[in-house]
Amino acid sequence: MTADPGGSRDPLLPAGARSARRAVAGAFGAQGLAYAVLVASLPGFKDRFGIDDGVVTIVTLGICLMAGAGTVVADRLARGPGSRTVLVAGLGTAAVAVLVIALAPGRAVFFGGFALYGLALGLVDAGTNMQAVALQRVYGRSILTSFYAAWSAAAIAGALVVVAYEALDISQQAAIPVVSVVVAVIALGVRRDGWRAGDVPIGPTAAERSAARAVPWSAVLVLGAAVVAYFVVDSAAQIWSAIYLSDGLLASSSLAPTGLAVYLAMTLVSRLAGDLAVRRWGRVAVVRAAGLIGAAGLLGVVLAPGPAVAVAGFGLTGLGLGAIAPLCFAAAGSLAPEHADAVVARLNGFNYVGAVLGGVLVGAVGTGASLRIGFAVPLLLAIVIVVLAPHFGTRPGSEDSRHARQRPLPPARAEW
């Protein structure tokens, strides 16, 4: 192996690893930016095309279904050209979809644009994770959370972009196409620097299939319930926060997207602090506290007399529950360490159930009554997370935590 010509100080990294990591982080960021801009623009889309919350719910379900189709297409492409091609195709499709949505002259083209965006979402989601996992193997240490941090930071920027263009009275047709250009440029960067094809496994080995049969399904189902609960809350906050603030609490068009921005910012804070908190207090205590803090935030959202309290509630929700998803997977890895990959693979399927329920169930309840009542569903599920906390693993002083404290720290290394 040779030193990375991009300037990495780690001589063990193969050529191109550092530039590939930057490119893939950019792809995560492009995904977060486009998603947040479209979600935060929903109140404007409703006014522009004369659609109601029921239509938004149906569109959300359609996006999830198309994303599932995109994931299937990604799996097929990865077996041939490789994951870099999957990611470039997904980003290119997303750039076109965002442009179609922004410039749509009517509802038919608008809905078609979102269907195309759903397909792109599945491709990009699969492609980014394939590339990230391949690079993590190359680096020989955990770097996946840094990619997700890029997603969160870009999503926050996306929500603030909507705040800015609304405050400056710039039309969607003029503002949103800029996002399409950014995504297209990042796609070109991935095409040039993305990690080389062929490094991602195309299917489970016989040993992995045998290991999957040894997975403790009952424990996976318990953690799966927590995953579903988290993603219901997360999806509801991301899709419905701006609409709730705008329609339910009469927030201005520039203030409505701040609920999403604050939620995403505090989610990032939660994830950055999560590992340190677990080392000090243990996963069970952290999950229990996170669920209680998240429930308190959602209670504030439900009872909010005005936009300011609701925005604060969304922030408290993100601060509490942002670390739940990674802690679910950490607990899953402890269920059967010799079969950790199989456990995590099974648990991962629950993500999509929660995303669909959060986008559709909350909207359906809100359409029949009000979104204030709709957000009571995530509130109840945050309490479910508190109840499930004892299933999350070790406490301070346990054998696992003692081993963690005794394990020597790795030497400092160049991160990028």
Side-chain angles (χ1 to χ4, degrees), residues 218-234 287-288 291 321-332 347-355 357 378 380-392:
S218 59
V220 171
L221 288 174
V222 172
L223 291 176
V227 170
V228 170
Y230 167 73
F231 277 101
V232 167
V233 175
D234 184 64
V287 171
R288 183 179 289 118
L321 298 179
I324 291 297
L327 291 182
C328 284
F329 286 98
L347 187 62
N348 189 60
F350 290 92
N351 294 4
Y352 306 105
V353 177
L357 289 177
L380 294 175
L381 291 175
I383 297 171
V384 169
I385 290 174
V386 177
V387 173
L388 295 176
H391 298 274
F392 273 72

mmCIF file of all heavy atoms in Angstrom, residues 218-234 287-288 291 321-332 347-355 357 378 380-392:
data_model
loop_
_atom_site.group_PDB
_atom_site.id
_atom_site.type_symbol
_atom_site.label_atom_id
_atom_site.label_comp_id
_atom_site.label_asym_id
_atom_site.label_seq_id
_atom_site.Cartn_x
_atom_site.Cartn_y
_atom_site.Cartn_z
ATOM 1 N N SER A 218 -36.250 -12.965 19.433
ATOM 2 C CA SER A 218 -37.085 -12.285 20.430
ATOM 3 C C SER A 218 -36.431 -10.991 20.895
ATOM 4 O O SER A 218 -37.091 -9.949 21.030
ATOM 5 C CB SER A 218 -37.343 -13.210 21.628
ATOM 6 O OG SER A 218 -36.131 -13.602 22.228
ATOM 7 N N ALA A 219 -35.116 -11.020 21.127
ATOM 8 C CA ALA A 219 -34.414 -9.818 21.553
ATOM 9 C C ALA A 219 -34.347 -8.792 20.424
ATOM 10 O O ALA A 219 -34.448 -7.579 20.653
ATOM 11 C CB ALA A 219 -33.007 -10.180 22.023
ATOM 12 N N VAL A 220 -34.179 -9.282 19.197
ATOM 13 C CA VAL A 220 -34.163 -8.367 18.052
ATOM 14 C C VAL A 220 -35.502 -7.650 17.918
ATOM 15 O O VAL A 220 -35.557 -6.446 17.628
ATOM 16 C CB VAL A 220 -33.823 -9.127 16.753
ATOM 17 C CG1 VAL A 220 -34.016 -8.233 15.533
ATOM 18 C CG2 VAL A 220 -32.391 -9.639 16.793
ATOM 19 N N LEU A 221 -36.587 -8.357 18.154
ATOM 20 C CA LEU A 221 -37.911 -7.747 18.052
ATOM 21 C C LEU A 221 -38.103 -6.645 19.091
ATOM 22 O O LEU A 221 -38.730 -5.614 18.815
ATOM 23 C CB LEU A 221 -39.000 -8.817 18.210
ATOM 24 C CG LEU A 221 -39.159 -9.776 17.027
ATOM 25 C CD1 LEU A 221 -40.159 -10.881 17.376
ATOM 26 C CD2 LEU A 221 -39.621 -9.033 15.775
ATOM 27 N N VAL A 222 -37.559 -6.855 20.296
ATOM 28 C CA VAL A 222 -37.672 -5.827 21.333
ATOM 29 C C VAL A 222 -36.922 -4.570 20.910
ATOM 30 O O VAL A 222 -37.446 -3.450 20.973
ATOM 31 C CB VAL A 222 -37.134 -6.356 22.679
ATOM 32 C CG1 VAL A 222 -37.062 -5.215 23.704
ATOM 33 C CG2 VAL A 222 -38.020 -7.474 23.207
ATOM 34 N N LEU A 223 -35.681 -4.753 20.456
ATOM 35 C CA LEU A 223 -34.922 -3.602 19.977
ATOM 36 C C LEU A 223 -35.545 -3.016 18.708
ATOM 37 O O LEU A 223 -35.516 -1.801 18.487
ATOM 38 C CB LEU A 223 -33.475 -4.005 19.704
ATOM 39 C CG LEU A 223 -32.627 -4.336 20.935
ATOM 40 C CD1 LEU A 223 -31.247 -4.817 20.525
ATOM 41 C CD2 LEU A 223 -32.519 -3.132 21.862
ATOM 42 N N GLY A 224 -36.128 -3.892 17.871
ATOM 43 C CA GLY A 224 -36.817 -3.416 16.674
ATOM 44 C C GLY A 224 -37.966 -2.495 17.013
ATOM 45 O O GLY A 224 -38.221 -1.507 16.304
ATOM 46 N N ALA A 225 -38.681 -2.793 18.107
ATOM 47 C CA ALA A 225 -39.767 -1.917 18.551
ATOM 48 C C ALA A 225 -39.228 -0.534 18.896
ATOM 49 O O ALA A 225 -39.852 0.496 18.599
ATOM 50 C CB ALA A 225 -40.487 -2.532 19.744
ATOM 51 N N ALA A 226 -38.041 -0.496 19.525
ATOM 52 C CA ALA A 226 -37.435 0.795 19.855
ATOM 53 C C ALA A 226 -37.002 1.533 18.591
ATOM 54 O O ALA A 226 -37.143 2.757 18.493
ATOM 55 C CB ALA A 226 -36.243 0.582 20.784
ATOM 56 N N VAL A 227 -36.476 0.796 17.610
ATOM 57 C CA VAL A 227 -36.088 1.412 16.336
ATOM 58 C C VAL A 227 -37.303 2.017 15.644
ATOM 59 O O VAL A 227 -37.272 3.148 15.157
ATOM 60 C CB VAL A 227 -35.398 0.375 15.418
ATOM 61 C CG1 VAL A 227 -35.210 0.936 14.013
ATOM 62 C CG2 VAL A 227 -34.052 -0.037 15.999
ATOM 63 N N VAL A 228 -38.395 1.253 15.590
ATOM 64 C CA VAL A 228 -39.627 1.766 14.982
ATOM 65 C C VAL A 228 -40.092 3.018 15.714
ATOM 66 O O VAL A 228 -40.451 4.036 15.093
ATOM 67 C CB VAL A 228 -40.729 0.687 14.994
ATOM 68 C CG1 VAL A 228 -42.072 1.298 14.585
ATOM 69 C CG2 VAL A 228 -40.366 -0.455 14.053
ATOM 70 N N ALA A 229 -40.087 2.961 17.053
ATOM 71 C CA ALA A 229 -40.538 4.107 17.841
ATOM 72 C C ALA A 229 -39.698 5.338 17.523
ATOM 73 O O ALA A 229 -40.226 6.442 17.317
ATOM 74 C CB ALA A 229 -40.463 3.784 19.334
ATOM 75 N N TYR A 230 -38.366 5.171 17.457
ATOM 76 C CA TYR A 230 -37.502 6.315 17.166
ATOM 77 C C TYR A 230 -37.785 6.890 15.783
ATOM 78 O O TYR A 230 -37.910 8.112 15.625
ATOM 79 C CB TYR A 230 -36.021 5.937 17.267
ATOM 80 C CG TYR A 230 -35.160 7.021 16.672
ATOM 81 C CD1 TYR A 230 -34.991 8.221 17.340
ATOM 82 C CD2 TYR A 230 -34.598 6.880 15.401
ATOM 83 C CE1 TYR A 230 -34.258 9.258 16.772
ATOM 84 C CE2 TYR A 230 -33.858 7.906 14.829
ATOM 85 C CZ TYR A 230 -33.699 9.102 15.518
ATOM 86 O OH TYR A 230 -33.000 10.121 14.948
ATOM 87 N N PHE A 231 -37.869 6.027 14.782
ATOM 88 C CA PHE A 231 -38.025 6.545 13.420
ATOM 89 C C PHE A 231 -39.418 7.116 13.175
ATOM 90 O O PHE A 231 -39.591 7.953 12.281
ATOM 91 C CB PHE A 231 -37.648 5.483 12.394
ATOM 92 C CG PHE A 231 -36.167 5.412 12.155
ATOM 93 C CD1 PHE A 231 -35.396 4.434 12.745
ATOM 94 C CD2 PHE A 231 -35.540 6.359 11.371
ATOM 95 C CE1 PHE A 231 -34.023 4.378 12.549
ATOM 96 C CE2 PHE A 231 -34.166 6.322 11.160
ATOM 97 C CZ PHE A 231 -33.403 5.334 11.758
ATOM 98 N N VAL A 232 -40.410 6.692 13.943
ATOM 99 C CA VAL A 232 -41.713 7.366 13.872
ATOM 100 C C VAL A 232 -41.556 8.811 14.334
ATOM 101 O O VAL A 232 -42.031 9.757 13.687
ATOM 102 C CB VAL A 232 -42.768 6.634 14.726
ATOM 103 C CG1 VAL A 232 -44.012 7.499 14.902
ATOM 104 C CG2 VAL A 232 -43.158 5.317 14.084
ATOM 105 N N VAL A 233 -40.875 8.992 15.476
ATOM 106 C CA VAL A 233 -40.647 10.342 15.994
ATOM 107 C C VAL A 233 -39.823 11.166 15.000
ATOM 108 O O VAL A 233 -40.168 12.311 14.672
ATOM 109 C CB VAL A 233 -39.921 10.284 17.351
ATOM 110 C CG1 VAL A 233 -39.580 11.699 17.833
ATOM 111 C CG2 VAL A 233 -40.787 9.566 18.386
ATOM 112 N N ASP A 234 -38.734 10.585 14.511
ATOM 113 C CA ASP A 234 -37.827 11.299 13.619
ATOM 114 C C ASP A 234 -38.519 11.704 12.323
ATOM 115 O O ASP A 234 -38.409 12.849 11.874
ATOM 116 C CB ASP A 234 -36.623 10.404 13.321
ATOM 117 C CG ASP A 234 -35.573 11.101 12.480
ATOM 118 O OD1 ASP A 234 -34.992 12.099 12.963
ATOM 119 O OD2 ASP A 234 -35.332 10.664 11.338
ATOM 120 N N VAL A 287 -30.443 5.571 27.666
ATOM 121 C CA VAL A 287 -31.672 5.389 26.882
ATOM 122 C C VAL A 287 -32.894 5.828 27.688
ATOM 123 O O VAL A 287 -33.795 6.497 27.161
ATOM 124 C CB VAL A 287 -31.816 3.921 26.430
ATOM 125 C CG1 VAL A 287 -33.189 3.676 25.819
ATOM 126 C CG2 VAL A 287 -30.730 3.575 25.413
ATOM 127 N N ARG A 288 -32.908 5.469 28.971
ATOM 128 C CA ARG A 288 -34.051 5.881 29.797
ATOM 129 C C ARG A 288 -34.143 7.406 29.879
ATOM 130 O O ARG A 288 -35.235 7.988 29.710
ATOM 131 C CB ARG A 288 -33.916 5.274 31.197
ATOM 132 C CG ARG A 288 -35.112 5.587 32.108
ATOM 133 C CD ARG A 288 -34.955 4.946 33.470
ATOM 134 N NE ARG A 288 -35.117 3.497 33.375
ATOM 135 C CZ ARG A 288 -34.176 2.619 33.681
ATOM 136 N NH1 ARG A 288 -32.984 3.042 34.081
ATOM 137 N NH2 ARG A 288 -34.413 1.320 33.596
ATOM 138 N N GLY A 291 -35.238 8.873 26.493
ATOM 139 C CA GLY A 291 -36.669 8.731 26.256
ATOM 140 C C GLY A 291 -37.485 9.736 27.050
ATOM 141 O O GLY A 291 -38.452 10.321 26.538
ATOM 142 N N LEU A 321 -33.711 12.190 21.904
ATOM 143 C CA LEU A 321 -33.846 10.946 21.136
ATOM 144 C C LEU A 321 -32.831 10.774 20.018
ATOM 145 O O LEU A 321 -32.782 9.713 19.393
ATOM 146 C CB LEU A 321 -35.264 10.871 20.550
ATOM 147 C CG LEU A 321 -36.402 10.824 21.584
ATOM 148 C CD1 LEU A 321 -37.747 10.771 20.884
ATOM 149 C CD2 LEU A 321 -36.251 9.654 22.535
ATOM 150 N N GLY A 322 -31.994 11.769 19.769
ATOM 151 C CA GLY A 322 -31.069 11.685 18.643
ATOM 152 C C GLY A 322 -30.121 10.506 18.701
ATOM 153 O O GLY A 322 -29.716 9.974 17.666
ATOM 154 N N ALA A 323 -29.741 10.074 19.909
ATOM 155 C CA ALA A 323 -28.777 8.979 20.040
ATOM 156 C C ALA A 323 -29.434 7.603 20.085
ATOM 157 O O ALA A 323 -28.729 6.594 20.144
ATOM 158 C CB ALA A 323 -27.935 9.185 21.303
ATOM 159 N N ILE A 324 -30.757 7.542 20.058
ATOM 160 C CA ILE A 324 -31.435 6.259 20.239
ATOM 161 C C ILE A 324 -31.098 5.269 19.129
ATOM 162 O O ILE A 324 -30.806 4.094 19.393
ATOM 163 C CB ILE A 324 -32.965 6.462 20.324
ATOM 164 C CG1 ILE A 324 -33.334 7.174 21.628
ATOM 165 C CG2 ILE A 324 -33.690 5.115 20.243
ATOM 166 C CD1 ILE A 324 -32.989 6.400 22.880
ATOM 167 N N ALA A 325 -31.132 5.695 17.875
ATOM 168 C CA ALA A 325 -30.886 4.755 16.775
ATOM 169 C C ALA A 325 -29.509 4.092 16.877
ATOM 170 O O ALA A 325 -29.412 2.862 16.845
ATOM 171 C CB ALA A 325 -31.070 5.451 15.434
ATOM 172 N N PRO A 326 -28.408 4.861 17.022
ATOM 173 C CA PRO A 326 -27.118 4.171 17.150
ATOM 174 C C PRO A 326 -27.030 3.299 18.392
ATOM 175 O O PRO A 326 -26.371 2.252 18.372
ATOM 176 C CB PRO A 326 -26.100 5.321 17.190
ATOM 177 C CG PRO A 326 -26.886 6.549 17.471
ATOM 178 C CD PRO A 326 -28.238 6.328 16.914
ATOM 179 N N LEU A 327 -27.685 3.683 19.490
ATOM 180 C CA LEU A 327 -27.651 2.852 20.693
ATOM 181 C C LEU A 327 -28.430 1.556 20.490
ATOM 182 O O LEU A 327 -28.092 0.527 21.087
ATOM 183 C CB LEU A 327 -28.198 3.629 21.890
ATOM 184 C CG LEU A 327 -27.318 4.785 22.385
ATOM 185 C CD1 LEU A 327 -27.941 5.458 23.597
ATOM 186 C CD2 LEU A 327 -25.912 4.311 22.704
ATOM 187 N N CYS A 328 -29.465 1.590 19.653
ATOM 188 C CA CYS A 328 -30.180 0.359 19.308
ATOM 189 C C CYS A 328 -29.229 -0.626 18.630
ATOM 190 O O CYS A 328 -29.207 -1.819 18.962
ATOM 191 C CB CYS A 328 -31.357 0.661 18.379
ATOM 192 S SG CYS A 328 -32.807 1.398 19.181
ATOM 193 N N PHE A 329 -28.436 -0.132 17.686
ATOM 194 C CA PHE A 329 -27.523 -1.018 16.969
ATOM 195 C C PHE A 329 -26.364 -1.460 17.852
ATOM 196 O O PHE A 329 -25.864 -2.580 17.718
ATOM 197 C CB PHE A 329 -27.038 -0.343 15.698
ATOM 198 C CG PHE A 329 -28.088 -0.282 14.631
ATOM 199 C CD1 PHE A 329 -28.842 0.868 14.429
ATOM 200 C CD2 PHE A 329 -28.344 -1.388 13.847
ATOM 201 C CE1 PHE A 329 -29.824 0.912 13.462
ATOM 202 C CE2 PHE A 329 -29.326 -1.347 12.866
ATOM 203 C CZ PHE A 329 -30.076 -0.204 12.672
ATOM 204 N N ALA A 330 -25.938 -0.586 18.777
ATOM 205 C CA ALA A 330 -24.902 -0.998 19.722
ATOM 206 C C ALA A 330 -25.402 -2.130 20.610
ATOM 207 O O ALA A 330 -24.693 -3.106 20.866
ATOM 208 C CB ALA A 330 -24.480 0.195 20.580
ATOM 209 N N ALA A 331 -26.644 -2.017 21.074
ATOM 210 C CA ALA A 331 -27.225 -3.077 21.897
ATOM 211 C C ALA A 331 -27.400 -4.354 21.089
ATOM 212 O O ALA A 331 -27.184 -5.462 21.592
ATOM 213 C CB ALA A 331 -28.567 -2.615 22.464
ATOM 214 N N ALA A 332 -27.777 -4.225 19.829
ATOM 215 C CA ALA A 332 -27.958 -5.403 18.978
ATOM 216 C C ALA A 332 -26.656 -6.167 18.823
ATOM 217 O O ALA A 332 -26.635 -7.401 18.819
ATOM 218 C CB ALA A 332 -28.486 -4.977 17.604
ATOM 219 N N LEU A 347 -32.121 -6.102 12.329
ATOM 220 C CA LEU A 347 -32.657 -4.915 12.991
ATOM 221 C C LEU A 347 -32.847 -3.763 12.011
ATOM 222 O O LEU A 347 -33.776 -2.958 12.147
ATOM 223 C CB LEU A 347 -31.709 -4.496 14.117
ATOM 224 C CG LEU A 347 -32.182 -3.367 15.031
ATOM 225 C CD1 LEU A 347 -33.447 -3.767 15.775
ATOM 226 C CD2 LEU A 347 -31.083 -2.975 16.002
ATOM 227 N N ASN A 348 -31.987 -3.689 11.016
ATOM 228 C CA ASN A 348 -32.032 -2.581 10.072
ATOM 229 C C ASN A 348 -33.364 -2.493 9.334
ATOM 230 O O ASN A 348 -33.797 -1.409 8.949
ATOM 231 C CB ASN A 348 -30.888 -2.721 9.064
ATOM 232 C CG ASN A 348 -30.748 -1.493 8.184
ATOM 233 O OD1 ASN A 348 -30.510 -0.395 8.680
ATOM 234 N ND2 ASN A 348 -30.896 -1.670 6.885
ATOM 235 N N GLY A 349 -34.029 -3.620 9.131
ATOM 236 C CA GLY A 349 -35.306 -3.600 8.422
ATOM 237 C C GLY A 349 -36.388 -2.810 9.121
ATOM 238 O O GLY A 349 -37.343 -2.338 8.489
ATOM 239 N N PHE A 350 -36.247 -2.627 10.447
ATOM 240 C CA PHE A 350 -37.269 -1.899 11.199
ATOM 241 C C PHE A 350 -37.220 -0.396 10.930
ATOM 242 O O PHE A 350 -38.176 0.318 11.218
ATOM 243 C CB PHE A 350 -37.098 -2.160 12.700
ATOM 244 C CG PHE A 350 -37.450 -3.572 13.109
ATOM 245 C CD1 PHE A 350 -36.479 -4.557 13.148
ATOM 246 C CD2 PHE A 350 -38.750 -3.909 13.445
ATOM 247 C CE1 PHE A 350 -36.791 -5.851 13.521
ATOM 248 C CE2 PHE A 350 -39.074 -5.200 13.820
ATOM 249 C CZ PHE A 350 -38.100 -6.179 13.862
ATOM 250 N N ASN A 351 -36.085 0.102 10.405
ATOM 251 C CA ASN A 351 -35.979 1.537 10.101
ATOM 252 C C ASN A 351 -37.101 2.001 9.190
ATOM 253 O O ASN A 351 -37.734 3.040 9.420
ATOM 254 C CB ASN A 351 -34.648 1.835 9.396
ATOM 255 C CG ASN A 351 -33.451 1.602 10.292
ATOM 256 O OD1 ASN A 351 -33.593 1.147 11.419
ATOM 257 N ND2 ASN A 351 -32.277 1.908 9.787
ATOM 258 N N TYR A 352 -37.342 1.228 8.136
ATOM 259 C CA TYR A 352 -38.290 1.653 7.112
ATOM 260 C C TYR A 352 -39.726 1.603 7.612
ATOM 261 O O TYR A 352 -40.555 2.414 7.210
ATOM 262 C CB TYR A 352 -38.097 0.795 5.864
ATOM 263 C CG TYR A 352 -36.669 0.811 5.384
ATOM 264 C CD1 TYR A 352 -35.829 -0.269 5.592
ATOM 265 C CD2 TYR A 352 -36.143 1.947 4.770
ATOM 266 C CE1 TYR A 352 -34.505 -0.245 5.182
ATOM 267 C CE2 TYR A 352 -34.826 1.991 4.355
ATOM 268 C CZ TYR A 352 -34.009 0.901 4.565
ATOM 269 O OH TYR A 352 -32.698 0.938 4.170
ATOM 270 N N VAL A 353 -40.012 0.635 8.497
ATOM 271 C CA VAL A 353 -41.349 0.573 9.102
ATOM 272 C C VAL A 353 -41.619 1.860 9.873
ATOM 273 O O VAL A 353 -42.689 2.480 9.749
ATOM 274 C CB VAL A 353 -41.475 -0.648 10.029
ATOM 275 C CG1 VAL A 353 -42.844 -0.666 10.713
ATOM 276 C CG2 VAL A 353 -41.254 -1.935 9.247
ATOM 277 N N GLY A 354 -40.638 2.290 10.678
ATOM 278 C CA GLY A 354 -40.814 3.511 11.454
ATOM 279 C C GLY A 354 -40.932 4.744 10.588
ATOM 280 O O GLY A 354 -41.740 5.640 10.859
ATOM 281 N N ALA A 355 -40.133 4.812 9.523
ATOM 282 C CA ALA A 355 -40.184 5.977 8.638
ATOM 283 C C ALA A 355 -41.546 6.112 7.970
ATOM 284 O O ALA A 355 -42.104 7.212 7.871
ATOM 285 C CB ALA A 355 -39.082 5.886 7.582
ATOM 286 N N LEU A 357 -44.447 4.808 9.078
ATOM 287 C CA LEU A 357 -45.458 5.110 10.095
ATOM 288 C C LEU A 357 -45.377 6.569 10.534
ATOM 289 O O LEU A 357 -46.389 7.228 10.732
ATOM 290 C CB LEU A 357 -45.288 4.189 11.302
ATOM 291 C CG LEU A 357 -45.667 2.721 11.087
ATOM 292 C CD1 LEU A 357 -45.377 1.909 12.343
ATOM 293 C CD2 LEU A 357 -47.137 2.599 10.710
ATOM 294 N N PRO A 378 -46.122 10.142 18.409
ATOM 295 C CA PRO A 378 -44.712 10.054 18.779
ATOM 296 C C PRO A 378 -44.477 10.209 20.278
ATOM 297 O O PRO A 378 -43.563 9.586 20.832
ATOM 298 C CB PRO A 378 -44.067 11.210 18.005
ATOM 299 C CG PRO A 378 -44.977 11.452 16.859
ATOM 300 C CD PRO A 378 -46.353 11.166 17.365
ATOM 301 N N LEU A 380 -46.341 9.096 22.736
ATOM 302 C CA LEU A 380 -46.572 7.779 23.343
ATOM 303 C C LEU A 380 -45.414 6.829 23.030
ATOM 304 O O LEU A 380 -45.005 6.029 23.887
ATOM 305 C CB LEU A 380 -47.891 7.198 22.834
ATOM 306 C CG LEU A 380 -49.166 7.946 23.258
ATOM 307 C CD1 LEU A 380 -50.389 7.333 22.588
ATOM 308 C CD2 LEU A 380 -49.326 7.921 24.772
ATOM 309 N N LEU A 381 -44.858 6.910 21.824
ATOM 310 C CA LEU A 381 -43.774 6.015 21.449
ATOM 311 C C LEU A 381 -42.468 6.374 22.153
ATOM 312 O O LEU A 381 -41.627 5.500 22.403
ATOM 313 C CB LEU A 381 -43.592 6.020 19.941
ATOM 314 C CG LEU A 381 -44.752 5.369 19.175
ATOM 315 C CD1 LEU A 381 -44.559 5.519 17.676
ATOM 316 C CD2 LEU A 381 -44.887 3.901 19.536
ATOM 317 N N ALA A 382 -42.275 7.649 22.489
ATOM 318 C CA ALA A 382 -41.107 8.024 23.291
ATOM 319 C C ALA A 382 -41.182 7.374 24.662
ATOM 320 O O ALA A 382 -40.162 6.937 25.226
ATOM 321 C CB ALA A 382 -41.027 9.548 23.424
ATOM 322 N N ILE A 383 -42.392 7.270 25.208
ATOM 323 C CA ILE A 383 -42.578 6.590 26.489
ATOM 324 C C ILE A 383 -42.296 5.098 26.347
ATOM 325 O O ILE A 383 -41.743 4.456 27.253
ATOM 326 C CB ILE A 383 -44.002 6.849 27.021
ATOM 327 C CG1 ILE A 383 -44.189 8.340 27.296
ATOM 328 C CG2 ILE A 383 -44.274 6.033 28.284
ATOM 329 C CD1 ILE A 383 -45.603 8.744 27.617
ATOM 330 N N VAL A 384 -42.647 4.525 25.189
ATOM 331 C CA VAL A 384 -42.329 3.116 24.925
ATOM 332 C C VAL A 384 -40.815 2.895 24.993
ATOM 333 O O VAL A 384 -40.342 1.887 25.524
ATOM 334 C CB VAL A 384 -42.879 2.690 23.546
ATOM 335 C CG1 VAL A 384 -42.325 1.325 23.135
ATOM 336 C CG2 VAL A 384 -44.410 2.645 23.577
ATOM 337 N N ILE A 385 -40.030 3.837 24.465
ATOM 338 C CA ILE A 385 -38.579 3.717 24.521
ATOM 339 C C ILE A 385 -38.094 3.666 25.961
ATOM 340 O O ILE A 385 -37.195 2.889 26.311
ATOM 341 C CB ILE A 385 -37.923 4.885 23.758
ATOM 342 C CG1 ILE A 385 -38.172 4.729 22.254
ATOM 343 C CG2 ILE A 385 -36.424 4.967 24.044
ATOM 344 C CD1 ILE A 385 -37.693 5.899 21.418
ATOM 345 N N VAL A 386 -38.695 4.486 26.823
ATOM 346 C CA VAL A 386 -38.332 4.457 28.252
ATOM 347 C C VAL A 386 -38.599 3.074 28.837
ATOM 348 O O VAL A 386 -37.776 2.517 29.574
ATOM 349 C CB VAL A 386 -39.119 5.533 29.033
ATOM 350 C CG1 VAL A 386 -38.791 5.450 30.527
ATOM 351 C CG2 VAL A 386 -38.798 6.921 28.498
ATOM 352 N N VAL A 387 -39.745 2.500 28.492
ATOM 353 C CA VAL A 387 -40.119 1.176 29.011
ATOM 354 C C VAL A 387 -39.136 0.106 28.517
ATOM 355 O O VAL A 387 -38.802 -0.833 29.252
ATOM 356 C CB VAL A 387 -41.560 0.829 28.592
ATOM 357 C CG1 VAL A 387 -41.907 -0.608 28.968
ATOM 358 C CG2 VAL A 387 -42.541 1.808 29.229
ATOM 359 N N LEU A 388 -38.657 0.253 27.288
ATOM 360 C CA LEU A 388 -37.758 -0.743 26.699
ATOM 361 C C LEU A 388 -36.300 -0.557 27.105
ATOM 362 O O LEU A 388 -35.454 -1.397 26.776
ATOM 363 C CB LEU A 388 -37.856 -0.693 25.174
ATOM 364 C CG LEU A 388 -39.196 -1.094 24.559
ATOM 365 C CD1 LEU A 388 -39.165 -0.889 23.051
ATOM 366 C CD2 LEU A 388 -39.541 -2.544 24.889
ATOM 367 N N ALA A 389 -35.983 0.511 27.832
ATOM 368 C CA ALA A 389 -34.595 0.816 28.168
ATOM 369 C C ALA A 389 -33.842 -0.332 28.826
ATOM 370 O O ALA A 389 -32.656 -0.544 28.517
ATOM 371 C CB ALA A 389 -34.539 2.062 29.064
ATOM 372 N N PRO A 390 -34.438 -1.125 29.725
ATOM 373 C CA PRO A 390 -33.672 -2.209 30.359
ATOM 374 C C PRO A 390 -33.121 -3.242 29.379
ATOM 375 O O PRO A 390 -32.230 -4.010 29.740
ATOM 376 C CB PRO A 390 -34.695 -2.849 31.307
ATOM 377 C CG PRO A 390 -35.660 -1.754 31.623
ATOM 378 C CD PRO A 390 -35.771 -0.970 30.345
ATOM 379 N N HIS A 391 -33.639 -3.273 28.162
ATOM 380 C CA HIS A 391 -33.177 -4.255 27.168
ATOM 381 C C HIS A 391 -31.950 -3.768 26.384
ATOM 382 O O HIS A 391 -31.503 -4.467 25.475
ATOM 383 C CB HIS A 391 -34.306 -4.579 26.194
ATOM 384 C CG HIS A 391 -35.505 -5.204 26.843
ATOM 385 N ND1 HIS A 391 -35.614 -6.552 27.069
ATOM 386 C CD2 HIS A 391 -36.640 -4.643 27.343
ATOM 387 C CE1 HIS A 391 -36.776 -6.810 27.666
ATOM 388 N NE2 HIS A 391 -37.409 -5.674 27.835
ATOM 389 N N PHE A 392 -31.427 -2.603 26.742
ATOM 390 C CA PHE A 392 -30.360 -2.007 25.944
ATOM 391 C C PHE A 392 -28.948 -2.360 26.382
ATOM 392 O O PHE A 392 -27.995 -1.824 25.840
ATOM 393 C CB PHE A 392 -30.517 -0.482 25.902
ATOM 394 C CG PHE A 392 -31.415 -0.014 24.800
ATOM 395 C CD1 PHE A 392 -32.777 -0.222 24.876
ATOM 396 C CD2 PHE A 392 -30.904 0.616 23.693
ATOM 397 C CE1 PHE A 392 -33.623 0.197 23.864
ATOM 398 C CE2 PHE A 392 -31.739 1.042 22.673
ATOM 399 C CZ PHE A 392 -33.098 0.827 22.746
#
